[in-house]
Amino acid sequence: MFPAFSAHYASLPDRMRAEMSPTPVSSPRLLAFNRPLAEALGLNLDALDDHHLAEVLGGNLVPEGARPVATAYAGHQFGNFVPQLGDGRALLLGELTHRDGTLREVQLKGAGRTPFSRGGDGRAPLGPVLREYLVSEAMAALGVPTTRALAAVASGDSVVRQMVEPGAVLTRVATSHIRVGTFQYFAARRDTEALSLLVDFCIERHYPHLAKSAPHLAESAPQPAESTEGGRALALLDAVVERQASLIAQWKGLGFIHGVMNTDNCAISGETIDYGPCAFMDAFHPHRVFSSIDERGRYAWDNQPAIAQWNLARLAETLLPLIDDDQERAVALATASIEKFAEQHDAAWTAVLRAKLGLDSQDDQSGDHDLALGEDLLKAMEEGNADFTLGFARLSAALEDGDETLAEGFERRHRLDDWLPRWRQRLQQQGVGAPTLRQRLSAANPLVIPRNHLVEKAIRAAVDDDDLSVFSSVLAAVTRPHEAPSEAWLMAPPTRDERVLRTFCGT
């Protein structure tokens, strides 16, 4: 059976959420279930059959202790502020305790209308549910902070978007679902009490090391007012900035493009959240965009750091009344925090590139050189129209087999030929043997990612033919990203006819 849920977020004041039950579906059927995650959350799988799981995770039964709520939040969508968004089709059941001792929120996505639905049907089509399941579990396997997928349940009902599609419900698990937009919702209403409650909640849930003391500020920095609240708010901002800087660097190192980095899709936890029109690059290009709604490239691969910092600045604005009663001093403190992002991201990005090149991340003296070396390889990939994932994965072969295995993925190799001697010279400076280098390269460079055409192939088989075999094959491959799959098509870039150039939100 399910362990008893706790209801920490549901215990916050009424204005922070809407308490309600999921809307039942006509014929729930379990399509995918994440048994390892379920076991880590304390589910007794011996006492749960597929029918009961489908009833609970499809929204027809509410488990013991759960207090389903739709949470309130606002957000900047493509730079335009919307003062009320909220969970229009999602309900938070409550929290379960993970085996590591921390709490995990369990949310049903596609559970029906809520007071925040803004005229929508509150449902989710099957395709986007399967996309989020595949990509979020791949990200978890790749070591990137992310929400997780516990289950996908077919609803038995139809959903109308551009066409009639089968409906489904995704069970999403996260350390919390609080976003920058959650803070914006209450800041827009000048509700400082709610903002203070959110600060306390986020520190307790995500940054417990901040609970006992505010960070020590540099002597040259502006000093906050003598208040515990101001110090806690600023400490939270600093911590969120640091986590987002690391997260974006990890995205970039996988060629991942979120596609819709609105403030309501920026989690305070530092987890990747809301896999809508997301995509992984095949051939590398820094300005790559796949999202059908990102017509101007606001959320392109290389623009993600700047957008993350912009989102964090919006978070800082909401915290100003808590940071200091003196507006000018509050702005100075918040600005100093936001300005840390660039340096923190650059350091994280340098570390990512060093790992992908097999370099010793502890050699701080060569940081700028290593950053340039990594980015020059990206320029060679761009010139050569080379596959991002395989371009890095084949570096290991270049250690032993010469240049040809790597170079065969480049249409033009002039820059690559200039780059390879520099890389080998840098490797020699480390004095590390080939076995260690191969191990480093293998650990940092996946062979398998959820490529757009694979995800689309899995979706089409499931939606058109009720065939989940492709989904199962892709899921098995992407959750073991450093192992070569038994079937080559699971690792290969798309052919010209297979390319997917546009991805969609599915809302």
Side-chain angles (χ1 to χ4, degrees), residues 98-223:
H98 193 274
R99 69 160 61 104
D100 66 10
T102 62
L103 292 174
R104 297 289 195 279
E105 292 184 349
V106 181
Q107 182 194 68
L108 302 183
K109 194 172 178 182
R113 286 190 176 95
T114 79
F116 307 110
S117 292
R118 306 184 305 283
D121 60 11
R123 294 304 192 185
L126 175 59
V129 165
L130 296 182
R131 173 184 290 275
E132 180 157 350
Y133 198 116
L134 284 172
V135 181
S136 62
E137 286 308 294
M139 292 289 264
L142 289 161
V144 179
T146 180
T147 61
R148 300 289 302 276
L150 178 61
V153 174
S155 66
D157 302 314
S158 296
V159 175
V160 180
R161 295 297 183 262
Q162 284 79 17
M163 61 186 73
V164 178
E165 303 176 60
V169 180
L170 175 77
T171 305
R172 181 164 69 183
V173 176
T175 54
S176 88
H177 289 80
I178 297 178
R179 312 137 187 272
V180 170
T182 313
F183 283 81
Q184 289 182 293
Y185 180 87
F186 297 103
R189 289 154 180 78
R190 300 185 178 181
D191 189 343
T192 55
E193 179 189 25
L195 291 169
S196 183
L197 288 171
L198 282 174
V199 167
D200 290 344
F201 185 97
C202 290
I203 287 176
E204 180 181 358
R205 179 65 58 86
H206 304 301
Y207 307 96
H209 62 285
L210 301 179
K212 295 183 178 179
S213 62
H216 297 292
L217 299 172
E219 291 183 3
S220 59
Q223 298 299 304

Side-chain angles (χ1 to χ4, degrees), residues 296-346:
R296 297 185 179 181
R298 177 181 174 88
Y299 301 140
W301 178 85
D302 62 346
N303 209 33
Q304 292 178 127
I307 289 298
Q309 188 175 32
W310 190 91
N311 289 343
L312 292 165
R314 308 288 77 75
L315 174 63
E317 289 168 352
T318 72
L319 296 175
L320 292 177
L322 303 181
I323 291 173
D324 202 293
D325 293 337
D326 184 307
Q327 175 81 358
E328 184 175 339
R329 187 160 46 182
V331 169
L333 286 163
T335 300
S337 180
I338 297 302
E339 287 179 346
K340 296 174 186 175
F341 177 90
E343 181 178 352
Q344 290 172 346
H345 168 267
D346 288 350

Side-chain angles (χ1 to χ4, degrees), residues 257-485:
I257 304 163
H258 186 281
V260 60
M261 287 178 63
N262 298 328
T263 57
D264 53 295
N265 294 335
C266 181
I268 300 301
S269 63
E271 293 171 313
T272 312
I273 191 170
D274 285 332
Y275 293 92
C278 62
F280 287 80
M281 279 193 285
D282 295 309
F284 175 75
H285 194 290
H287 308 318
R288 189 73 74 197
V289 175
F290 291 90
S291 171
S292 62
I293 57 176
D294 191 6
E295 296 177 353
R296 297 185 179 181
R298 177 181 174 88
Y299 301 140
W301 178 85
D302 62 346
N303 209 33
Q304 292 178 127
I307 289 298
Q309 188 175 32
W310 190 91
N311 289 343
L312 292 165
R314 308 288 77 75
L315 174 63
E317 289 168 352
T318 72
L319 296 175
L320 292 177
L322 303 181
I323 291 173
D324 202 293
D325 293 337
D326 184 307
Q327 175 81 358
E328 184 175 339
R329 187 160 46 182
V331 169
L333 286 163
T335 300
S337 180
I338 297 302
E339 287 179 346
K340 296 174 186 175
F341 177 90
E343 181 178 352
Q344 290 172 346
H345 168 267
D346 288 350
W349 178 227
T350 300
V352 166
L353 286 176
R354 278 175 157 170
K356 294 182 78 66
L357 297 180
L359 303 179
D360 187 347
S361 61
Q362 303 304 313
D363 187 1
D364 293 332
Q365 293 183 347
S366 59
D368 291 343
H369 177 272
D370 291 346
L371 176 62
L373 187 66
E375 293 190 335
D376 284 348
L377 176 57
L378 294 177
K379 292 175 183 176
M381 287 183 176
E382 181 182 3
E383 178 190 73
N385 199 35
D387 185 81
F388 183 92
T389 299
L390 294 185
F392 279 104
R394 287 171 175 163
L395 286 175
S396 184
L399 291 174
E400 297 178 349
D401 303 335
D403 301 346
E404 294 310 310
T405 299
L406 174 62
E408 69 183 16
F410 287 69
E411 293 178 5
R412 293 169 297 280
R413 53 181 287 180
H414 173 73
R415 280 183 180 267
L416 179 66
D417 288 339
D418 290 343
W419 180 85
L420 279 165
R422 295 167 53 205
W423 175 58
R424 290 196 172 99
Q425 182 181 21
R426 177 68 179 89
L427 292 178
Q428 289 175 358
Q429 291 173 357
Q430 299 183 127
V432 176
T436 298
L437 289 175
R438 282 195 300 272
Q439 186 178 30
R440 286 182 182 177
L441 290 166
S442 176
N445 296 308
L447 296 170
V448 185
I449 56 169
R451 294 180 183 272
N452 303 333
H453 73 291
L454 297 181
V455 174
E456 186 64 22
K457 185 175 182 178
I459 289 172
R460 292 272 55 87
V463 172
D464 298 343
D465 303 318
D466 195 25
D467 176 8
L468 287 168
S469 63
V470 180
F471 170 86
S472 297
S473 295
V474 174
L475 180 64
V478 300
T479 51
R480 292 189 288 271
H482 298 281
E483 300 176 18

Side-chain angles (χ1 to χ4, degrees), residues 2 4-10 20-22 56-71 90-96 104-109 111 150 170-172 177:
F2 281 79
F5 280 76
S6 57
H8 290 75
Y9 197 87
M20 59 185 300
S21 296
V56 173
L57 301 179
N60 287 7
L61 294 175
V62 177
E64 178 186 355
R67 286 175 57 187
V69 297
T71 65
L91 288 176
L92 179 64
L93 294 180
E95 302 95 359
L96 295 176
R104 297 289 195 279
E105 292 184 349
V106 181
Q107 182 194 68
L108 302 183
K109 194 172 178 182
L150 178 61
L170 175 77
T171 305
R172 181 164 69 183
H177 289 80

